Amino acid sequence: MNSPEMLKDALNDAQALRSIVFPNPWAARAFGLTLAAVEKNLFSLQAFQHALIERIAESESRGESITDEERYYSCWVDALTVLLDGTPQISLASRDEEERKIREHTHQAHLHQEAHFPPRPLLIVEGK
């Protein structure tokens, strides 16, 4: 499981950054956003680590154990969101607008990909 220590290593060592494995693309994006926010001094690594620990503790207090990377990165995103919500440089309205743009871009890219690569029919071969 990746950790805030890996984030610290990634800030200091590009090789460490390349060695990190994520369970899915959104976890990699959350990691990258956190890295960028720390580099822009929106919050410190220590503040992020504290927020992540709090989110994990809250999750566990609700009976949701952190048994896999997806749950861990859900707590990661929650911690990142809390910190960004408390950052005076980022207004809630501007964050919502940027999120809308990203979702629209992602949707358009998905439609564009489908236009070039239509889904193939599922082929079922008996006995295999």
Side-chain angles (χ1 to χ4, degrees):
M1 186 175 302
N2 297 323
S3 67
E5 288 77 29
M6 292 184 82
L7 178 64
K8 184 177 179 181
D9 292 344
L11 283 168
N12 299 317
D13 181 5
Q15 185 65 32
L17 183 59
R18 286 189 286 277
S19 68
I20 299 172
V21 177
F22 297 94
N24 48 48
W26 66 263
R29 288 186 200 111
F31 187 91
L33 286 170
T34 305
L35 186 69
V38 169
E39 286 178 339
K40 294 290 185 182
N41 294 315
L42 296 178
F43 51 80
S44 69
L45 281 175
Q46 292 78 15
F48 176 75
Q49 185 174 25
H50 181 70
L52 179 59
I53 290 168
E54 285 181 358
R55 300 293 86 69
I56 290 171
E58 287 173 9
S59 179
E60 289 176 339
S61 73
R62 293 189 304 267
E64 302 167 353
S65 61
I66 309 300
T67 57
D68 62 17
E69 296 251 335
E70 188 162 332
R71 185 70 216 130
Y72 175 77
Y73 277 103
S74 292
C75 290
W76 185 292
V77 169
D78 292 343
L80 178 59
T81 301
V82 165
L83 288 171
L84 291 176
D85 283 350
T87 303
Q89 299 95 318
I90 301 173
S91 73
L92 189 57
S94 67
R95 190 192 73 195
D96 289 346
E97 176 60 17
E98 289 303 315
E99 182 178 349
R100 186 198 61 75
K101 288 178 188 176
I102 290 167
R103 289 182 187 280
E104 177 63 24
H105 174 76
T106 303
H107 178 71
Q108 292 300 326
H110 181 73
L111 292 176
H112 180 78
Q113 181 182 10
E114 284 183 356
H116 291 286
F117 304 102
R120 291 181 246 177
L122 179 62
L123 177 65
I124 299 174
V125 179
E126 289 188 32
K128 289 194 177 190

